[in-house]
Amino acid sequence: MQSEHKLDDRKMKILQAIIKTYLDTGEPVGSRTISKFTDLNLSSATIRNEMADLEDLGYILQPHTSAGRIPSDQGYRLYVDMLMEEKEQEVTEIKELMLEKADKMEQLLKQVAKVLATNTNYATMISSPVYNRNRLKFIQLSHVDEDQLLAVIVMDGNIVKNKIITVDQELDNETLLKLNMLLNTSLNGMSAEEINLGMIARLKEQAGIHSGVISDVLDTVANTIKLDEDMEIYTSGTTNIFKYPELSDNQSAKEIITAFEEKQQLAELVTQTMARDSSDVNKGIRVYIGNEAPVENMKDCSVVTATYELSEGLRGTIGIIGPKRMDYENVMKTLKTLMVELDEKFHRKE
Amino acid sequence: MQSEHKLDDRKMKILQAIIKTYLDTGEPVGSRTISKFTDLNLSSATIRNEMADLEDLGYILQPHTSAGRIPSDQGYRLYVDMLMEEKEQEVTEIKELMLEKADKMEQLLKQVAKVLATNTNYATMISSPVYNRNRLKFIQLSHVDEDQLLAVIVMDGNIVKNKIITVDQELDNETLLKLNMLLNTSLNGMSAEEINLGMIARLKEQAGIHSGVISDVLDTVANTIKLDEDMEIYTSGTTNIFKYPELSDNQSAKEIITAFEEKQQLAELVTQTMARDSSDVNKGIRVYIGNEAPVENMKDCSVVTATYELSEGLRGTIGIIGPKRMDYENVMKTLKTLMVELDEKFHRKE
DNA sequence: GTTAGCACTCAAAACAATGGAGTGCTAATA
DNA sequence: TATTAGCACTCCATTGTTTTGAGTGCTAAC
């Protein structure tokens, strides 16, 4: 890590030119190209000298002698940071996001992923929103069979969970009513942290011989609250990676696609991303270049993530995965726009 | 379609040898190989003659002159049908299927898919079980907010669905109780077909000003009953296709993987498979070779499916997708064994 | 009916030649 | 002193050529 990233203006411009060109072509870029296609008016020789410097500083590298240069991870990083700093970009209209008539959340998420994938030509993922400060809103036990109860649990944000509980001794309606009362009066408005052992003991005591049911219910509550348990991840456009030769060889493709199928690693990425503060200036947009992402298999990729918020505390993550030579500028802009869209869609009170 | 598939014994043996060898190597197989590695004791020249015949009959083909032969779809078909006929194979133990402690159905399904994928080295899919004769078991409306109701619907087989319903005018507890009574008494035990327009009209009439709620509930019921709506498909080992060069070129890989990601087409395959009778001798095992499968993108693959049954009427499908030169024998045996496992696991009453 | 043998075919592998993009260095220039 | 022109050099990618070997079909002999 060079701490001195005091690149002079010209080096900066050249680096930028190299990266932009490389993003476009995917081919190593040579001095002559830069000399010709920038308004710097420098000869290729001069560029060459500067390039040698940039290489020494670690911003670019040469696949082999007598090839042009390509950006290093460090180079990309500088470039991306620079983009980040640029004052709020004019938010361009995203034309017809087609989000309109999606009724079920799941479908909407899938749709967003798909739209993003086709618009950007990268692989995308989106995580279902999870609550990070869940409170119980409502609990209900009902008979559904002689020996089976149905427990329905509703959390803040109307997240609903069910569990079928099998009981040994049959409960009459009155007992059930009592249990319901007990549960609701004790637990409503509680968060996971607030339901401690003492409370549980007290509940069980009051439930008497039916304490087993209480246990089952509390288990379900615990499960409902647990985050990643519940986090679904939808992906789309995985095969877009075939558009980028540097990712299409069997080995890389295999690794990336496996990561997309297993989803375990993506979930980690999401969790990690959301753990960090996400309410910063950039609408929670993050860029992981190469090894910066905590996903083993994506060392040859870049990942751009954005955190969306449906309502206070209900958050999810959108991610775009592509080659390092990703069109960062466009991707970031698109994500930013999408965030705004979603904000508007959800924050004007449903 | 040659209707006369009266292959004499020798031709049959040769064909079988060709297919088996090809399954192994993936390379076109020549006359000399067959001559040497079978106990037929025939010279390569003889084999060549026979091969020419087999080619005329459409069972094998030549990628180009002076290459060996590979099985045609028709050849595979004959081979597979033959395997099917073989008397019930000894069901070998599947060692440690690890099914033991999977509690949630979803996890179990995923696990099965994974186990299959790693065991067979092919891509696998498994559909969640769906009921094909759904009956309503229980309905309940509850207050969860001032202006929101929660509808819980339980079907036969304890499939639970929820829906949050927003109401204009607040309902008092008494009304809610009445509605619940009304719904349960009228609908319990009903199947989708039995809930007809007349019934709906009668219900609405009895509900009076709250008929809007009834509509919403019925909508949810309809949704719950609708099959594919609810069918989840889990996949595993998609990248196994990279193990087979004939499927790993960018184009094929892209198509197959897309099919696996989108799942739409897989769902169709499942639906179609289940539609056919599935209680035949072969434990509902089907083989689709090349274009036989209704999945556009898999014309270069073979698909082996098996239908499992958790309890009366609750069925799902397992599928294995691989190259045409799939190890049919092993795959079919494995699936058959797995079916037996699942049967045992679920049919001894949970 | 089976086989040995031979001429022929063709894809894949090995090899050779060419071209061109790009570099580093040096010496001349402003 | 910073820039540039120019040149020799490197090396990959491309293309073309040759070689090799597996495999075939056919014919004639067994």
Side-chain angles (χ1 to χ4, degrees):
Chain A
M1 290 284 148
Q2 264 69 358
S3 62
E4 301 284 349
H5 89 270
K6 279 281 146 245
L7 289 187
D8 65 47
D9 201 49
R10 196 169 74 178
K11 281 198 174 53
M12 198 65 210
K13 273 188 179 138
I14 292 176
L15 177 59
Q16 219 174 313
I18 294 174
I19 297 186
K20 276 195 172 161
T21 315
Y22 183 66
L23 294 190
D24 226 38
T25 62
E27 300 291 321
V29 11
S31 51
R32 191 135 181 290
T33 317
I34 301 298
S35 154
K36 265 175 129 172
F37 298 110
T38 57
D39 43 6
L40 292 171
N41 282 327
L42 294 173
S43 77
S44 62
T46 313
I47 304 288
R48 274 202 290 286
N49 291 332
E50 294 287 40
M51 278 172 141
D53 290 355
L54 284 171
E55 183 164 5
D56 285 346
L57 292 171
Y59 291 105
I60 53 181
L61 32 87
Q62 220 174 357
H64 58 83
T65 25
S66 93
R69 307 302 217 288
I70 64 174
S72 67
D73 283 12
Q74 192 189 329
Y76 281 125
R77 172 46 61 198
L78 187 63
Y79 177 71
V80 168
D81 286 347
M82 204 196 56
L83 283 184
M84 287 274 199
E85 277 169 23
E86 275 176 20
K87 51 243 134 255
E88 277 298 293
Q89 277 147 342
E90 2 55 68
V91 171
T92 54
E93 300 285 326
I94 271 204
K95 46 287 166 201
E96 300 306 295
L97 250 189
M98 289 271 310
L99 297 182
E100 298 322 324
K101 58 195 177 300
D103 44 351
K104 286 180 74 180
M105 175 62 66
E106 182 189 314
Q107 279 169 14
L108 181 129
L109 294 179
K110 282 181 185 169
Q111 231 175 64
V112 170
K114 202 162 192 172
V115 168
L116 262 184
T118 47
N119 270 5
T120 61
N121 277 319
Y122 300 118
T124 62
M125 46 153 278
I126 186 164
S127 83
S128 63
V130 288
Y131 243 93
N132 57 357
R133 40 189 142 105
N134 258 337
R135 292 186 169 279
L136 263 166
K137 198 163 162 185
F138 175 71
I139 294 187
Q140 179 155 55
L141 297 174
S142 325
H143 273 302
V144 33
D145 243 341
E146 308 81 50
D147 59 346
Q148 291 187 316
L149 293 180
L150 170 69
V152 179
I153 292 166
V154 185
M155 311 294 289
D156 248 9
N158 287 344
I159 296 168
V160 186
K161 272 288 168 80
N162 313 290
K163 175 155 192 187
I164 300 275
I165 298 172
T166 310
V167 288
D168 327 317
Q169 77 274 58
E170 209 173 319
L171 289 95
D172 57 43
N173 277 330
E174 202 179 338
T175 321
L176 203 58
L177 211 64
K178 269 192 201 148
L179 278 179
N180 271 325
M181 290 256 289
L182 176 63
L183 284 169
N184 275 293
T185 47
S186 324
L187 297 180
N188 273 6
M190 292 277 142
S191 72
E193 300 79 44
E194 290 166 348
I195 306 179
N196 52 32
L197 274 179
M199 179 154 222
I200 295 174
R202 201 161 57 249
L203 270 177
K204 286 196 176 173
E205 196 186 310
Q206 290 183 45
I209 55 169
H210 302 303
S211 64
V213 178
I214 300 284
S215 294
D216 280 338
V217 172
L218 289 179
D219 277 358
T220 311
V221 172
N223 265 334
T224 310
I225 290 175
K226 204 150 138 254
L227 277 190
D228 26 340
E229 180 78 353
D230 199 35
M231 188 170 65
E232 283 286 347
I233 290 186
Y234 307 104
T235 62
S236 185
T238 310
T239 49
N240 276 336
I241 65 166
F242 287 119
K243 288 184 180 147
Y244 308 95
E246 65 266 47
L247 301 180
S248 327
D249 65 294
N250 271 7
Q251 190 52 30
S252 319
K254 185 173 172 168
E255 288 183 4
I256 297 171
I257 292 167
T258 303
F260 265 80
E261 189 180 42
E262 298 291 344
K263 290 180 181 167
Q264 188 47 50
Q265 301 190 65
L266 295 184
E268 244 166 72
L269 180 72
V270 168
T271 312
Q272 176 158 335
T273 301
M274 291 211 290
R276 309 186 181 182
D277 74 28
S278 60
S279 52
D280 59 16
V281 169
N282 287 296
K283 284 255 167 226
I285 291 183
R286 293 206 112 73
V287 182
Y288 301 91
I289 297 160
N291 280 315
E292 293 175 7
V295 181
E296 180 76 39
N297 293 338
M298 294 192 176
K299 55 187 181 311
D300 297 326
C301 300
S302 279
V303 183
V304 182
T305 63
T307 302
Y308 67 86
E309 181 163 51
L310 293 193
S311 61
E312 193 65 23
L314 187 60
R315 293 216 190 103
T317 296
I318 299 180
I320 295 189
I321 293 93
K324 285 185 192 168
R325 61 174 181 105
M326 172 185 278
D327 182 349
Y328 296 99
E329 200 166 350
N330 183 33
V331 165
M332 286 164 65
K333 190 147 69 182
T334 307
L335 277 180
K336 232 178 261 184
T337 314
L338 182 60
M339 292 301 101
V340 173
E341 287 270 324
L342 288 178
D343 262 19
E344 275 179 11
K345 191 155 183 54
F346 289 105
H347 282 172
R348 47 177 147 86
K349 199 59 185 165
E350 177 88 335
Chain B
M1 289 288 149
Q2 263 70 356
S3 62
E4 300 284 350
H5 88 269
K6 279 280 149 250
L7 289 188
D8 66 48
D9 201 47
R10 195 171 73 177
K11 280 198 175 50
M12 199 64 208
K13 273 189 179 137
I14 292 176
L15 177 59
Q16 218 173 314
I18 294 174
I19 297 186
K20 275 194 173 161
T21 316
Y22 183 67
L23 294 190
D24 226 38
T25 63
E27 301 290 321
V29 12
S31 51
R32 194 136 180 288
T33 317
I34 301 297
S35 154
K36 265 177 130 171
F37 298 109
T38 57
D39 44 4
L40 292 170
N41 282 326
L42 294 173
S43 79
S44 62
T46 314
I47 303 287
R48 273 203 290 286
N49 292 332
E50 295 286 39
M51 278 173 144
D53 289 356
L54 283 171
E55 184 164 3
D56 285 345
L57 292 171
Y59 292 105
I60 52 180
L61 33 88
Q62 222 175 354
H64 58 84
T65 23
S66 90
R69 306 302 216 289
I70 63 176
S72 67
D73 282 12
Q74 191 188 329
Y76 281 125
R77 171 49 60 200
L78 186 63
Y79 178 71
V80 167
D81 287 347
M82 204 196 58
L83 284 183
M84 288 275 199
E85 276 169 23
E86 274 177 22
K87 53 249 135 249
E88 277 297 294
Q89 275 146 342
E90 6 51 73
V91 172
T92 53
E93 301 284 325
I94 271 204
K95 45 293 165 197
E96 300 306 297
L97 249 190
M98 289 271 311
L99 296 182
E100 298 320 324
K101 59 195 177 301
D103 44 350
K104 287 181 73 178
M105 175 61 66
E106 182 189 316
Q107 278 168 15
L108 182 130
L109 294 179
K110 282 182 187 169
Q111 230 175 66
V112 170
K114 202 162 191 171
V115 169
L116 262 185
T118 47
N119 269 4
T120 61
N121 277 320
Y122 300 118
T124 62
M125 47 153 278
I126 186 165
S127 83
S128 62
V130 287
Y131 243 95
N132 59 357
R133 39 190 141 107
N134 258 338
R135 290 185 172 279
L136 261 167
K137 195 165 164 186
F138 175 71
I139 294 188
Q140 179 154 54
L141 297 174
S142 325
H143 273 301
V144 33
D145 243 342
E146 307 82 50
D147 59 347
Q148 291 187 314
L149 293 179
L150 170 70
V152 179
I153 293 165
V154 185
M155 311 293 290
D156 247 10
N158 287 345
I159 296 169
V160 185
K161 271 290 168 78
N162 312 290
K163 174 152 193 189
I164 300 276
I165 298 172
T166 310
V167 289
D168 325 317
Q169 78 270 60
E170 209 172 322
L171 290 95
D172 57 44
N173 278 329
E174 203 178 337
T175 320
L176 203 59
L177 213 63
K178 271 192 199 149
L179 279 178
N180 271 326
M181 291 254 289
L182 175 63
L183 284 169
N184 275 293
T185 48
S186 325
L187 298 179
N188 274 6
M190 292 278 141
S191 72
E193 299 78 44
E194 292 167 348
I195 306 179
N196 52 32
L197 273 180
M199 177 152 226
I200 295 174
R202 200 161 57 251
L203 269 177
K204 286 197 176 175
E205 193 185 313
Q206 289 182 47
I209 56 169
H210 302 301
S211 65
V213 178
I214 300 284
S215 293
D216 280 336
V217 172
L218 289 178
D219 276 358
T220 311
V221 172
N223 264 335
T224 310
I225 290 174
K226 202 149 141 259
L227 275 191
D228 25 341
E229 179 81 351
D230 200 35
M231 189 169 63
E232 283 286 346
I233 291 186
Y234 307 104
T235 62
S236 185
T238 310
T239 50
N240 276 335
I241 64 166
F242 287 119
K243 287 183 179 144
Y244 309 96
E246 65 266 48
L247 300 181
S248 333
D249 66 294
N250 272 8
Q251 190 51 30
S252 319
K254 186 173 171 166
E255 287 182 5
I256 298 170
I257 292 168
T258 303
F260 266 80
E261 188 179 41
E262 299 291 344
K263 287 175 183 169
Q264 188 47 52
Q265 299 189 66
L266 296 184
E268 241 165 75
L269 180 72
V270 168
T271 312
Q272 175 159 336
T273 301
M274 291 210 292
R276 308 185 181 183
D277 74 29
S278 59
S279 52
D280 60 15
V281 168
N282 287 296
K283 285 254 165 226
I285 290 182
R286 292 208 113 74
V287 183
Y288 302 92
I289 297 161
N291 280 314
E292 293 175 9
V295 182
E296 179 76 39
N297 293 338
M298 294 193 176
K299 55 189 180 312
D300 297 326
C301 301
S302 278
V303 183
V304 183
T305 62
T307 302
Y308 66 87
E309 180 163 51
L310 293 193
S311 61
E312 193 63 27
L314 185 61
R315 293 216 189 104
T317 295
I318 300 182
I320 296 189
I321 294 95
K324 286 185 193 169
R325 60 175 181 104
M326 172 185 278
D327 182 352
Y328 296 98
E329 199 166 352
N330 183 33
V331 164
M332 286 163 66
K333 190 149 66 184
T334 307
L335 277 180
K336 230 177 263 182
T337 314
L338 182 60
M339 293 300 101
V340 173
E341 286 270 323
L342 287 178
D343 262 19
E344 276 180 10
K345 187 153 185 60
F346 289 104
H347 283 172
R348 48 177 145 86
K349 197 62 185 164
E350 173 91 339

